[in-house]
Amino acid sequence: KESRSYTDEDLRAGLAEQGLTIEEYRENLKKQLLRGKLVNREVKSKIVITRGEIEKYYNEHREKYAGEIKYHLWNIFIQFSQMTDESQRQIAFGKMETVLSQLKQGRSFESFAAEPPDSPESPQGTDLGFYLLDELSPQLRNVVKDMKEGEYSPILENERGYQIIYVQKVLVTDSKSLTDVEAEIEDVLYNEAIDSRYNTWLSELRKRSHIKIIK
């Protein structure tokens, strides 16, 4: 009641909507508390996570704690509209070929991207920011994964138009040491052990129980 600012009447009305009386609610709470104490005694108190188990999990999940690679991407693009026909697409592709030719001649991608377009049909550039590979579309992921800093892609086509992708910077974050993630791994192993031991405990209880079905 205190956490939700309920009065006695509010609580009783809320329980009534669920088909419960205050007495039934108290009995349910009592059973939940007793069940929690029983689980703590029979399950949780008997679980010990060793340093060796933590190290084993860390070594088996190295990729999870490896440093992340982020790519700072720019692009130069021409967008299509729903009314763009094939001849207009060919014109747009020709403009992108001109961009690619200038890049190959040594013009910096940043200077080209910063140049304001002459018209909506002209190539324009954008600083896209940093991305993990998993955050990119499958098409871009396959292109960017093999690129290095300072490299740009060939002309790429999608349903929205043509673009050239540029990797300005590749940022690799530090990997996490065992010390950094020891507490996190211990929690993972502890929760897994609780689930496993709880199911085993219930199974053993059922085996020891005598159940009589009266028809």
Side-chain angles (χ1 to χ4, degrees):
K1 287 191 297 182
E2 182 178 344
S3 65
R4 300 196 180 190
S5 301
Y6 281 176
T7 63
D8 282 343
E9 291 74 19
D10 293 333
L11 178 60
R12 291 177 184 274
L15 292 173
E17 291 180 2
Q18 301 177 46
L20 292 172
T21 65
I22 191 70
E23 291 75 19
E24 290 171 330
Y25 178 63
R26 285 183 175 135
E27 186 61 27
N28 288 343
L29 276 181
K30 180 180 178 181
K31 289 179 181 178
Q32 289 175 22
L33 291 170
L34 288 173
R35 188 181 298 115
K37 290 181 178 180
L38 181 61
V39 170
N40 280 331
R41 189 187 74 189
E42 297 293 332
V43 179
K44 292 184 178 180
S45 64
K46 299 177 181 178
I47 294 174
V48 177
I49 305 300
T50 67
R51 173 75 177 187
E53 290 173 320
I54 294 174
E55 290 178 354
K56 182 174 182 291
Y57 184 93
Y58 178 80
N59 291 327
E60 290 176 350
H61 297 81
R62 287 274 186 176
E63 73 288 346
K64 182 178 180 180
Y65 304 110
E68 294 181 329
I69 301 176
K70 289 188 174 183
Y71 298 83
H72 189 180
L73 304 179
W74 292 57
N75 76 342
I76 294 173
F77 63 93
I78 293 180
Q79 286 187 325
F80 296 149
S81 70
Q82 293 181 342
M83 305 301 293
T84 303
D85 58 28
E86 184 58 34
S87 63
Q88 292 171 315
R89 286 173 181 260
Q90 290 179 2
I91 293 172
F93 189 81
K95 292 179 179 179
M96 292 298 289
E97 285 185 314
T98 300
V99 172
L100 193 60
S101 175
Q102 291 186 30
L103 292 173
K104 290 178 179 178
Q105 292 171 18
R107 181 171 181 181
S108 75
F109 201 99
E110 292 91 341
S111 68
F112 208 123
E115 187 176 280
D118 297 331
S119 68
E121 295 78 25
S122 298
Q124 52 188 306
T126 305
D127 179 352
L128 299 174
F130 281 94
Y131 285 87
L132 297 170
L133 282 179
D134 290 344
E135 296 174 328
L136 299 174
S137 68
Q139 181 197 33
L140 291 186
R141 192 182 309 145
N142 288 333
V143 173
V144 171
K145 66 181 178 64
D146 296 322
M147 294 176 66
K148 299 180 178 62
E149 286 187 8
E151 292 185 343
Y152 49 85
S153 71
I155 300 171
L156 306 175
E157 181 179 6
N158 56 43
E159 67 277 4
R160 295 186 298 274
Y162 297 116
Q163 68 174 331
I164 300 171
I165 292 290
Y166 171 65
V167 177
Q168 186 188 57
K169 187 175 183 60
V170 179
L171 179 65
V172 182
T173 60
D174 293 335
S175 60
K176 296 179 181 178
S177 68
L178 178 58
T179 303
D180 294 332
V181 296
E182 185 172 353
E184 176 187 333
I185 293 174
E186 186 174 11
D187 286 341
V188 171
L189 294 176
Y190 185 77
N191 289 326
E192 289 179 354
I194 286 176
D195 291 340
S196 176
R197 194 173 185 91
Y198 182 72
N199 290 330
T200 300
W201 175 63
L202 284 181
S203 179
E204 291 173 351
L205 278 182
R206 292 190 183 99
K207 290 178 183 178
R208 295 200 304 266
S209 301
H210 177 68
I211 302 173
K212 184 177 181 180
I213 301 176
I214 301 175
K215 297 183 179 179

